[in-house]
Amino acid sequence: MSRQQLTQHYTRILTRWPVDLLRPEERSFQHLLRQRIQSPPTDSAVGGKEVNAAYLLLDNTFTKQFPLPQSLMKPASNPNHYTDLARELEEAPSRTWFGNFAKRVKNMVRFK
Amino acid sequence: MAASSVCASCLRALRQQARTQLPAPAPRTAFKPTAQRQHLLPHRALSTSPRALNEQHRSPTASTTPTPPPPPSSSTNPPSNAPLSSSSPSTPAGFDTLATTLRDSTAPLLRQTTEPYIAYGSTATLFRACAAQCSYTIPALLASPPQPPPKNAAEEDVGVGEGWWVTPKPNGGLGLDVTFNTWAQVVMLHMYLLTVRLRCFPAVHAPIWHQNLLDHFFYAAEDRMAVWHGMSARSVRNKYLKDLWLQWRGLLLSYDEGLVKGDAVLAAAVWRNVFRAQEGEGVVGDVGTVVGYMRRELGMLGGMSDLEVSEGRVVFGRPEGVGRLVGRESAWMRRSFVAEDFKGVEGK
């Protein structure tokens, strides 16, 4: 696999990799991919394995190969755990300072 | 004149020594049933009682109203309040019936009294399964006279480790740096897998199990800091333990996010945590191996019953097998490129 092909693969992976709004840019996977695009690995076998692994991850290969039982994704101690988490992760990046403050105050008192 | 109290370092050393010399602990039961008493104890292990668990699953309201303890289900067991004429003299007569009654009661208060003790014991076994994945020593400290330990580029103490995670890559391992942070991350990853499984316990017991598992980890971490990294000052250890706590909470959130959103997000989380966001050669392949391993083990844990997990009978699989899965060629490798594929670098 030539350097140009590797670069094209990395670019495709960069386009499709999910964006992370919660972590700083230096800790984002996109940062790693951009570094790889600028200087692709010299050993094409290593680069090929990396690119292949990235594609497998993008395709959710392991999620499909090892499906988790519903009991694990709706745990008995808190069936809404993962749905609540997903909603919170969606809302958190766009919340204003006051929204964060109000949420913290509201969470101080929990009714059973 | 001998001191009347043992200094903390000697105590820790004695404890370590004693721990390595003790035989493997016997299967945990509340009391060791002797041959003559065995038929008098209902058949159960040191665990959340499966009968009560099943009852709770079937009828969630049954545990909210206190009811008298049910008679034992097996016909070979006498009623729990029968006098134990053949109990061994070392145990006060009727004491083990009291504990058995507490344990098997469906009254929530009585069950909850015994739950922390059982959780403490079983989570010790579970934690040992996690800690067995990765361990290290610093040989320089064991030399006579003790030498200062070698440091890596980030000024961390480097040791000699065992376990697939710290075995060098030419020998088939993952090749992570043998430092305290690596040990903590690997153990926390396995603890995370157990945490996901422990969430499936009933709501009234799950927090106790989570807390006890964490306690074992922090005891071990503090031990390691004091024994292998020379942190005899408690304030220094506390500072690092607080940082470790933050790492744990962040790890919980990141890995849960990865479970919900898919393999790519889980891979990014693993890269940030286990691999410290480094851009080493071939790091994405290694990240893929770890993600495959995590999902495989989660599937295995999901298939275990609550009874098995609460008895500590968890054995993690070998990560080497996942390497083959990551080697399979993806369909994308042969797909031709279109203009859309290059949009990621535009505007940068």
Side-chain angles (χ1 to χ4, degrees):
Chain A
M1 193 179 298
S2 67
R3 269 173 84 94
Q4 196 210 10
Q5 273 184 313
L6 265 182
T7 313
Q8 284 177 323
H9 278 301
Y10 278 119
T11 314
R12 181 152 68 182
I13 293 163
L14 174 63
T15 312
R16 288 165 188 274
W17 200 268
V19 177
D20 187 358
L21 296 168
L22 285 172
R23 279 93 189 181
E25 163 63 16
E26 299 79 36
R27 295 271 183 267
S28 67
F29 211 75
Q30 280 79 356
H31 182 76
L32 170 69
L33 291 171
R34 277 189 205 102
Q35 289 212 322
R36 291 276 193 263
I37 290 170
Q38 281 192 334
S39 46
T42 42
D43 187 352
S44 76
V46 167
K49 268 205 288 204
E50 262 206 343
V51 158
N52 189 51
Y55 281 135
L56 288 174
L57 291 165
L58 271 177
D59 275 338
N60 285 329
T61 319
F62 299 112
T63 309
K64 291 173 197 157
Q65 184 170 3
F66 303 111
L68 298 181
Q70 261 311 89
S71 59
L72 215 56
M73 292 313 286
K74 278 197 172 352
S77 64
N78 186 5
N80 299 328
H81 175 89
Y82 294 104
T83 42
D84 288 346
L85 179 72
R87 195 178 61 237
E88 174 69 21
L89 286 169
E90 217 174 308
E91 290 175 1
S94 53
R95 216 180 275 140
T96 60
W97 176 89
F98 184 73
N100 277 325
F101 179 73
K103 198 167 179 77
R104 210 161 61 227
V105 167
K106 269 189 243 171
N107 284 342
M108 281 180 183
V109 179
R110 222 188 304 180
F111 298 106
K112 196 145 189 185
Chain B
M1 194 168 95
S4 58
S5 64
V6 185
C7 79
S9 313
C10 299
L11 200 56
R12 186 173 286 105
L14 283 172
R15 210 168 59 220
Q16 290 281 355
Q17 201 179 31
R19 213 177 286 148
T20 52
Q21 284 169 2
L22 277 176
R28 297 187 177 278
T29 53
F31 304 94
K32 263 202 165 19
T34 57
Q36 55 186 172
R37 280 190 10 239
Q38 190 136 22
H39 67 283
L40 293 168
L41 289 173
H43 171 67
R44 53 145 187 89
L46 196 77
S47 62
T48 51
S49 166
R51 189 176 61 232
L53 269 180
N54 284 336
E55 281 174 9
Q56 275 185 331
H57 279 299
R58 270 189 252 111
S59 52
T61 56
S63 59
T64 54
T65 56
T67 54
S73 51
S74 165
S75 56
T76 59
N77 297 327
S80 50
N81 53 5
L84 289 175
S85 52
S86 53
S87 60
S88 71
S90 58
T91 317
F95 187 64
D96 37 6
T97 40
L98 171 66
T100 313
T101 314
L102 282 177
R103 190 69 205 134
D104 291 336
S105 161
T106 50
L109 185 62
L110 296 180
R111 281 289 311 282
Q112 280 166 250
T113 309
T114 54
E115 196 67 25
Y117 299 95
I118 294 168
Y120 180 85
S122 293
T123 47
T125 318
L126 289 173
F127 176 72
R128 233 175 283 127
C130 299
Q133 304 299 316
C134 172
S135 69
Y136 68 94
T137 59
I138 301 188
L141 294 174
L142 299 173
S144 52
Q147 310 290 325
K151 305 246 187 215
N152 65 0
E155 299 291 314
E156 297 168 322
D157 294 344
V158 177
V160 167
E162 50 181 54
W164 173 82
W165 300 79
V166 290
T167 307
K169 276 208 188 158
N171 298 346
L174 196 59
L176 295 171
D177 268 351
V178 191
T179 62
F180 176 84
N181 281 322
T182 305
W183 173 85
Q185 284 294 339
V186 172
V187 175
M188 286 200 288
L189 186 145
H190 289 86
M191 274 169 39
Y192 167 75
L193 301 175
L194 288 174
T195 303
V196 171
R197 180 61 188 83
L198 291 177
R199 279 190 196 130
C200 304
F201 278 14
V204 88
H205 300 308
I208 301 172
W209 285 77
H210 283 144
Q211 187 61 53
N212 276 289
L213 186 64
L214 271 182
D215 287 347
H216 286 296
F217 170 67
F218 280 101
Y219 290 145
E222 189 170 10
D223 239 12
R224 211 161 252 283
M225 279 188 227
V227 170
W228 295 110
H229 299 280
M231 294 182 198
S232 43
R234 186 170 292 192
S235 56
V236 178
R237 292 199 304 265
N238 279 345
K239 184 177 71 158
Y240 286 114
L241 286 174
K242 284 179 189 164
D243 186 56
L244 208 55
W245 168 250
L246 288 179
Q247 284 186 36
W248 166 252
R249 294 298 296 183
L251 185 149
L252 263 190
L253 174 75
S254 311
Y255 289 170
D256 275 348
E257 186 189 8
L259 268 197
V260 166
K261 290 191 183 170
D263 284 351
V265 179
L266 186 57
V270 166
W271 176 67
R272 283 193 311 271
N273 284 305
V274 177
F275 293 88
R276 322 303 279 177
Q278 285 162 354
E279 291 112 14
E281 206 182 78
V283 76
V284 183
D286 298 334
V287 167
T289 311
V290 175
V291 168
Y293 170 75
M294 281 176 81
R295 290 216 74 109
R296 188 189 70 185
E297 295 307 304
L298 275 174
M300 181 269 290
L301 283 169
M304 289 176 82
S305 65
D306 276 356
L307 177 64
E308 283 180 276
V309 176
S310 60
E311 286 179 359
R313 285 193 273 139
V314 168
V315 176
F316 288 108
R318 293 163 60 83
E320 293 91 324
V322 190
R324 276 183 292 110
L325 301 176
V326 179
R328 287 173 303 181
E329 202 193 35
S330 167
W332 284 98
M333 295 294 280
R334 303 202 182 268
R335 218 170 278 181
S336 53
F337 296 99
V338 293
E340 274 184 355
D341 289 337
F342 303 118
K343 289 229 172 86
V345 284
E346 284 168 19
K348 273 286 164 188

